Amino acid sequence: MCGIVGAVAERNITAILLEGLKRLEYRGYDSAGVAVFTHNGTLERMRRNGKVAELEQALAGEPLMGRLGIAHTRWATHGAPSERNAHPHFSGSDLAVVHNGIIENYEALREQLKGLGYVFTSDTDTEVIAHLLNHKLKDQSDLTEALKATVKELHGAYGLAVISAKQPDRLVAARSGSPLVIGLGLGENFLASDQLALRQVTDRFMYLEEGDIAEIRRDSVQIWDVNGKSVQRETVQYRDGAEAADKGEYRHYMLKEIHEQPAVVQRTLENRLGQDHVLVQAFGPQAAELFAKVRNVQIVACGTSYHAGMVARYWLESLAGIPCQVEVASEFRYRKVVVQPDTLFVSISQSGETADTLAALRNAKELGFLASLAICNVGISSLVRESDLTLLTQAGREIGVASTKAFTTQLVGLLLLTLSLGQVRGTLEAGVEAQLVEELRRLPARLGEALAMDATIEKVAELFADKHHTLFLGRGAQFPVAMEGALKLKEISYIHAEAYPAGELKHGPLALVDNDMPVVTVAPNNELLEKLKSNLQEVRARGGELIVFADEQAGMTNGEGTHVINMPHIHDVLAPILYTIPLQLLSYYVAVLKGTDVDQPRNLAKSVTVE
Ligand code: F6R
């Protein structure tokens, strides 16, 4: 992961770099650093362990002023989070490098460079790049040419930015497996891992492609592709009002984003629903023709997005009659996959830059899938650019590391896909589609009703504050909802949480249940309700405390050790979307009670651009 910012300008660029880093903290926040070619003609750096705020404070005390610089916020891969492992890494006093990604052959390179007399001062894979580049500069004094020679020896993934005190007129960059974008200014140019970091200084961007090397000067940008050929990349003017990045009245971004769900679900539905059917063209002009051929669906994603895919499997099979497989991308990409004829490959991702999901898509292209479809929240992401079809979720920028509104909008997108496939293939009755379209229209209001339970759930959270383990149970399409609930709780409250299909309880996990293990259950009013009630009896009989989110019509009541929270009644198909809300709120309030860093939980990052 990690975030990179760079700038070459006529003005002092330190404040620009710092602001960029703050906007990139979603990519990692273990340490941060900046290197600037100062007005004294020397390359100087400041690095701090911890968040960008620590670096900012240090720079307030000892400002670095200059017109050329690079900066980095880190999510540690090689070497613990510490100041010595923080980027930029230097080779000598003239060369500074920041890196996002993983260099797989760094150990061999490190040994080779040690043999040449280079001394390593960090445990990172990045430092080998700095020294290797330094070594190449001995044969080839031009920084850009030396970088071209350097990347030929790197195996793995990288987004790189380099500056040298010997050639202070430029910033050079390389992309392979980690995104980089050039921001174009007037008499000044910039570089970053994400255009968001540069929206303060420009709205014109050029996206580097895989294998590109770029030389960025104040008044020119030159790019060479993977074959070394000089190329032009398109300039994109970016306008997006949905980027407001403040917490407003909320204490945390996560709470704000949870509360945004009615609005963003509404936005995700906009222009995609006809009177009684889904508009298949929402997936692109060729979607109808392609969907008619689909006989299987393969979904691939990571984390929360994977849970969305798991819910979609229930929908695709029960509503559209299409066999569906769902797999985490890190497994799919390395498995020998047998592809059934006419299988649609569907990737799901909030960021569209998750390394495993992208690699799975790239593999899929070699495997004979019918076509690829991305359900994604970022229109200018690699996943979207590389897929045949796209459905953009309209969640807006998600800042809290724990995914909330991205998940519910993904579910909406996947339900639209299910209904479209059923419609085009003639496997879904028109009446059922019309009813579900109507339910979808009502969904934002329903989500609002669930959010109104905020205060009740805050109270329930108190039951968890002193607990160390929790079980989440669900049946059918609520099982992935339980998985998502468990993921949310563990990632922000650090309470160990596991999810099980309720019917599996007696096959092992029941042994864990005692009065110290709360059991959270989602219980919509469907044909599995009676079976679920029996599973809950099994828990109560072992002294387990039950927290049940139940349909108001399910007839479940409070009792000793059983806390029932009534949910508004909803059509069973849409229940996974609605029942996600109280589980998000529950995790949030437990984390607040425990005093964790809700928006930036330990060890995590928002965008996982490394394997
Ligand atoms: C959990 C969470 C992660 C992401 C996962 C995939 O709250 O946010 O599990 O869902 O890293 O990220 P995307 O969706 O960007 O591919």
Side-chain angles (χ1 to χ4, degrees):
M1 271 94 73
C2 308
I4 290 176
V5 198
V8 51
E10 261 298 281
R11 51 176 163 156
N12 176 33
I13 44 71
T14 320
I16 297 172
L17 297 179
L18 259 182
E19 175 61 26
L21 286 188
K22 285 189 208 157
R23 293 167 179 233
L24 288 181
E25 258 192 328
Y26 74 90
R27 302 179 71 88
Y29 36 78
D30 290 335
S31 62
V34 57
V36 173
F37 179 68
T38 65
H39 298 321
N40 307 329
T42 53
L43 205 53
E44 284 173 32
R45 77 178 156 185
M46 178 77 82
R47 300 180 294 172
R48 282 295 179 269
N49 198 23
K51 296 188 177 170
V52 176
E54 305 286 330
L55 177 70
E56 187 174 30
Q57 208 180 349
L59 283 169
E62 277 174 69
L64 287 182
M65 309 278 274
R67 299 184 182 123
L68 171 72
I70 50 178
H72 189 267
T73 176
R74 178 167 187 247
W75 184 79
T77 57
H78 297 66
S82 66
E83 195 167 313
R84 67 192 282 275
N85 287 331
H87 302 212
H89 287 285
F90 274 22
S91 182
S93 55
D94 289 337
L95 196 60
V97 175
V98 289
H99 166 221
N100 169 28
I102 288 179
I103 303 304
E104 286 172 346
N105 58 336
Y106 87 103
E107 275 167 334
L109 288 171
R110 197 174 163 105
E111 286 316 304
Q112 202 180 313
L113 289 158
K114 274 185 183 168
L116 291 167
Y118 287 97
V119 176
F120 283 79
T121 58
S122 78
D123 311 313
T124 64
D125 51 345
T126 305
E127 199 179 354
V128 300
I129 307 174
H131 293 318
L132 185 60
L133 180 59
N134 187 319
H135 183 59
K136 297 286 174 201
L137 279 163
K138 295 191 170 132
D139 300 331
Q140 168 55 263
S141 62
D142 182 79
L143 184 63
T144 316
E145 292 305 317
L147 182 65
K148 287 182 191 170
T150 301
V151 298
K152 286 200 180 112
E153 293 187 28
L154 303 179
H155 302 167
Y158 51 83
L160 288 174
V162 180
I163 54 173
S164 161
K166 292 203 175 125
Q167 290 162 67
D169 57 341
R170 72 189 76 168
L171 169 65
V172 291
R175 171 190 170 150
S176 182
S178 301
L180 278 179
V181 55
I182 297 172
L184 304 167
L186 290 174
E188 55 185 17
N189 286 315
F190 309 92
L191 178 81
S193 307
D194 177 340
Q195 81 287 338
L196 187 80
L198 304 175
R199 289 304 309 279
Q200 35 152 347
V201 278
T202 184
D203 61 359
R204 289 186 309 131
F205 298 97
M206 218 179 242
Y207 295 89
L208 292 187
E209 294 190 5
E210 284 300 283
D212 279 358
I213 303 268
E215 182 181 278
I216 304 154
R217 298 171 187 248
R218 268 203 320 101
D219 44 15
S220 69
V221 170
Q222 237 187 312
I223 300 174
W224 294 265
D225 71 7
V226 69
N227 301 313
K229 195 167 142 250
S230 172
V231 284
Q232 293 284 338
R233 298 287 174 223
E234 190 192 349
T235 301
V236 179
Q237 186 106 13
Y238 188 71
R239 298 192 196 284
D240 179 6
E243 248 185 28
D246 67 78
K247 293 187 213 137
E249 68 195 86
Y250 296 98
R251 180 162 164 200
H252 293 102
Y253 283 111
M254 181 177 175
L255 188 61
K256 173 175 177 250
E257 288 160 4
I258 290 173
H259 279 270
E260 278 171 1
Q261 289 176 107
V264 295
V265 160
Q266 174 83 51
R267 223 161 54 200
T268 303
L269 290 170
E270 260 163 36
N271 302 323
R272 290 172 174 164
L273 297 180
Q275 206 182 356
D276 54 5
H277 63 284
V278 172
L279 302 175
V280 180
Q281 312 88 289
F283 291 86
Q286 74 277 42
E289 200 187 324
L290 253 167
F291 285 0
K293 297 185 195 147
V294 174
R295 283 199 278 154
N296 297 283
V297 172
Q298 169 73 62
I299 298 179
V300 169
C302 300
T304 288
S305 300
Y306 167 69
H307 296 155
M310 298 259 301
V311 173
R313 181 167 73 145
Y314 289 89
W315 287 338
L316 282 160
E317 298 203 336
S318 64
L319 292 167
I322 302 180
C324 173
Q325 302 211 45
V326 191
E327 193 166 3
V328 286
S330 53
E331 287 300 313
F332 178 88
R333 64 180 290 192
Y334 290 117
R335 199 163 61 78
K336 183 113 191 56
V337 179
V338 178
V339 181
Q340 298 283 344
D342 300 319
T343 302
L344 178 68
F345 179 88
V346 178
S347 60
I348 311 169
S349 175
Q350 188 285 126
S351 61
E353 300 294 348
T354 300
D356 285 322
T357 310
L358 262 174
L361 168 65
R362 288 171 188 156
N363 288 358
K365 290 191 168 171
E366 310 297 318
L367 293 174
F369 282 96
L370 177 66
S372 58
L373 163 69
I375 306 236
C376 188
N377 195 37
V378 181
I380 45 174
S381 60
S382 306
L383 200 70
V384 167
R385 280 203 300 272
E386 295 180 29
S387 297
D388 302 318
L389 304 174
T390 303
L391 186 86
L392 287 182
T393 48
Q394 299 290 343
R397 190 156 136 65
E398 193 179 59
I399 294 175
V401 163
S403 191
T404 52
K405 58 179 181 168
F407 179 67
T408 42
T409 53
Q410 284 167 349
L411 289 178
V412 168
L414 287 159
L415 188 51
L416 293 176
L417 174 66
T418 305
L419 301 183
S420 300
L421 283 166
Q423 179 199 121
V424 170
R425 296 171 73 253
T427 44
L428 180 67
E429 276 175 40
V432 176
E433 184 179 5
Q435 191 194 354
L436 288 171
V437 163
E438 202 40 49
E439 295 289 341
L440 272 169
R441 282 207 179 88
R442 288 194 207 125
L443 181 61
R446 283 289 139 81
L447 298 181
E449 288 166 35
L451 286 167
M453 296 161 55
D454 192 292
T456 311
I457 294 169
E458 186 172 3
K459 194 94 196 83
V460 173
E462 290 168 14
L463 295 169
F464 292 77
D466 60 344
K467 298 290 188 285
H468 298 101
H469 306 276
T470 309
L471 279 180
F472 282 72
L473 303 179
R475 294 195 77 125
Q478 297 298 338
F479 166 49
V481 171
M483 291 173 79
E484 176 57 10
L487 178 64
K488 286 292 88 95
L489 189 70
K490 66 185 126 187
E491 71 183 317
I492 60 166
S493 76
Y494 315 149
I495 293 177
H496 171 223
E498 279 193 70
Y500 275 93
E504 268 296 292
L505 203 60
K506 54 188 166 298
H507 298 291
L510 198 53
L512 292 171
V513 171
D514 60 14
N515 57 11
D516 209 26
M517 167 79 98
V519 178
V520 180
T521 311
V522 275
N525 194 8
N526 63 20
E527 78 280 1
L528 294 172
L529 180 66
E530 289 311 315
K531 297 199 182 304
L532 183 72
K533 283 183 180 169
S534 315
N535 301 142
L536 298 187
Q537 288 308 322
E538 294 159 10
V539 172
R540 270 312 294 143
R542 272 92 191 161
E545 192 154 21
L546 284 168
I547 294 88
V548 190
F549 294 95
D551 188 300
E552 59 198 9
Q553 299 175 6
M556 299 191 75
T557 47
N558 279 327
E560 203 198 327
T562 305
H563 310 264
V564 176
I565 299 108
N566 278 326
M567 297 286 296
H569 179 65
I570 189 154
H571 191 291
D572 191 39
V573 167
L574 277 81
I577 310 178
L578 186 78
Y579 280 73
T580 295
I581 304 265
L583 299 189
Q584 294 170 342
L585 286 169
L586 180 65
S587 309
Y588 172 76
Y589 283 115
V590 175
V592 169
L593 279 175
K594 295 200 74 185
T596 63
D597 189 342
V598 173
D599 285 331
Q600 294 184 326
R602 68 185 182 201
N603 305 341
L604 300 180
K606 183 70 186 160
S607 182
V608 186
T609 57
V610 294
E611 255 196 91

